[in-house]
Amino acid sequence: MSVNPATLRSIATLTGGEFFRATDYESFDHGFQTVRDHLDKTKRVETERVPDQQLFVPLAILALLLLLVEQVLSHTRLRRLP
């Protein structure tokens, strides 16, 4: 695949970038070091993720308790409301 250096230089000029042509390792390393020097030097901060809690369990237990109370009360004098 052929590359047109003039086009790449014009793109770099229009976008505010730089054009580097790496024909050997030394020119590649020089271009890479130039790019690295211009990049922001920010450190990564990793935050520990807290596992999600299952919130349906207390509601499911409450629903089962209400069903149990309904079954117990349906077999007593309170099976019908006046």
Side-chain angles (χ1 to χ4, degrees):
M1 215 164 89
S2 65
V3 176
N4 187 353
T7 304
L8 293 177
R9 280 191 186 94
S10 66
I11 291 172
T13 304
L14 289 173
T15 59
E18 291 184 52
F19 173 75
F20 298 100
R21 183 172 184 117
T23 55
D24 58 356
Y25 180 76
E26 290 161 1
S27 61
F28 171 76
D29 191 45
H30 174 69
F32 187 73
Q33 291 303 325
T34 305
V35 170
R36 273 190 90 174
D37 291 340
H38 289 289
L39 291 177
D40 288 336
K41 306 244 187 311
T42 57
K43 292 187 179 185
R44 288 188 188 182
V45 177
E46 290 188 26
T47 57
E48 186 175 328
R49 184 166 184 235
V50 178
D52 296 332
Q53 291 181 340
Q54 299 296 331
L55 299 177
F56 76 93
V57 174
L59 292 175
I61 291 172
L62 178 64
L64 287 175
L65 286 175
L66 289 174
L67 283 172
L68 181 66
V69 168
E70 189 268 334
Q71 287 295 318
V72 169
L73 290 178
S74 69
H75 294 314
T76 64
R77 277 186 86 191
L78 299 174
R79 67 178 149 199
R80 263 185 16 188
L81 293 175

